[in-house]
Amino acid sequence: MAPARLKALHPLAGAVTGLSAGAATAILLPGGLGVALGLLASGAGCMLAMRAFERRSLARHELAMAGVGEVKVRLATNAIRLDALSQRVQQMPMRDADAAPARAAIHELTAEVGLLGDLIHQVATTLADHETVLARLPDPAVALPAPVPEVVLDPEAVRRERADKLAAERAAAAAAAREEAEAERAALIGKALSEGGLEVHLQPIVSLPQRRTCGYEALARLRLDESTLLLPHEFIDTVETRGFGPTLDALVLTRALAIARHLGSKDGGIFVSCNFSNATWTSSRALATLTRILDKYREHTGHLVIEMPQAIFRELDPTSLGLLGAMSANGVRFALDQLVDLRLDPRGLFDRGIRYVKAPAALLQAHLDGRIQSDIDAGDLAALLARVSITLVADEVADNPAAADMIELGATMGQGQAFSPPRPVKPEIFAEPEPALAAPPAPAEPARQPESIVERLLGQERLAQSLAAAPEPAASQTRPERLPFRAVLRRASA
């Protein structure tokens, strides 16, 4: 049996042997001594494996260098032989025309052999430089085993940690789902606006105590599909966040002007009011755009009232106040809406174009009951506003008892569910009026030649005879023309 050679073994044999020896030592020897000896044996096996890999790589490198050297020697020998062959060819007696192809072939072979020798030399130089760089590198430090953390068993702490981790995961999942739902909702709202899904509902504003309709408030609704209709508080935040507020307000103003045109064709001075978003009130550019729309439809602004929240009115900049003055000059009236307190300056409101003050019924009732203190008594508010031609409108009146309380406070107008809920507007109201058809021109009478005196006398006699003989014409009994209801609406809105 031939003896086993250590160099013939695989380099990983030392690592396997060391780990096996370490494991056996740790198992056989009890306590920490066995574990320490096992670790030492494992480390020694790993070091032996690393040394074996290093020796094998060095042997392969030396073998490669020896092969490169042998190739260089053979190339040099072939170059010498080619040179001797070239000299023999030159010494042979032959014509230049016959010797030229052989010489050219010999020179080409010589050049190729020289080029191949240069390439081999470059490979050898690169390997030598690589070995030099590896020799200069520091030896890798032996990685020490990481200390085993001490495990402290605390069931309550583990339970709290798990609960906190689970709560964080649930919160992250809920936030992701909420963001996805908001993005989907914003896409649906944007699509509905682009496809003309905006609807306008009208809620009457009545006089108190007669409850006769004096005006309407145009309330925006957004139709997503046949069964889904969004209220303002369900889509206005998304619209303002996405920057669609001025676009929505321009659409609402256009619809309100169409309703004002329809109301202008009737008697009674009925008006329509509309609201703008906060993004429009705080943007001078958006207000300027709405001002241009109002200037274009100036003949209908007498029946239009624009509502403005009290908080927005108090924070308007000079540019926005100037645009309000331009709207007021075009005949637009304003209403102060969404009151949060009764700190009002009636004369200042009138100078800014305010003609109506819409106070929530709950706010007036709270002042009346003494739950909110103010410098102005709720019972005197209507009289103070009436002195400067401003009308107090009780808003959000829920039921008949609340309407009776508002009448006692002196409110001359009211709005809310106690009087009527909002109702959709008929599409015929927004239709453009048909232009009046021009009457066809009367045919021109042919020019008559001047008559003589005899013809005139004969003509007068014949006319007298025909009038005496003709019977009295019977009264024409013409029946009234029947028109469809849509044509009547179009004529009324013209």
Side-chain angles (χ1 to χ4, degrees), residues 229-254:
L229 184 66
L230 298 184
L231 299 178
H233 68 274
E234 295 175 331
F235 65 87
I236 192 65
D237 293 337
T238 304
V239 167
E240 292 184 353
T241 303
R242 300 289 175 172
F244 299 148
T247 304
L248 174 66
D249 295 335
L251 293 174
V252 173
L253 179 60
T254 305

Side-chain angles (χ1 to χ4, degrees), residues 257 260-261 264 294-303 330:
L257 286 171
R261 179 192 62 201
L294 291 172
D295 185 66
K296 182 179 179 181
Y297 298 95
R298 184 179 301 178
E299 64 274 11
H300 307 309
T301 55
H303 296 271
N330 288 335

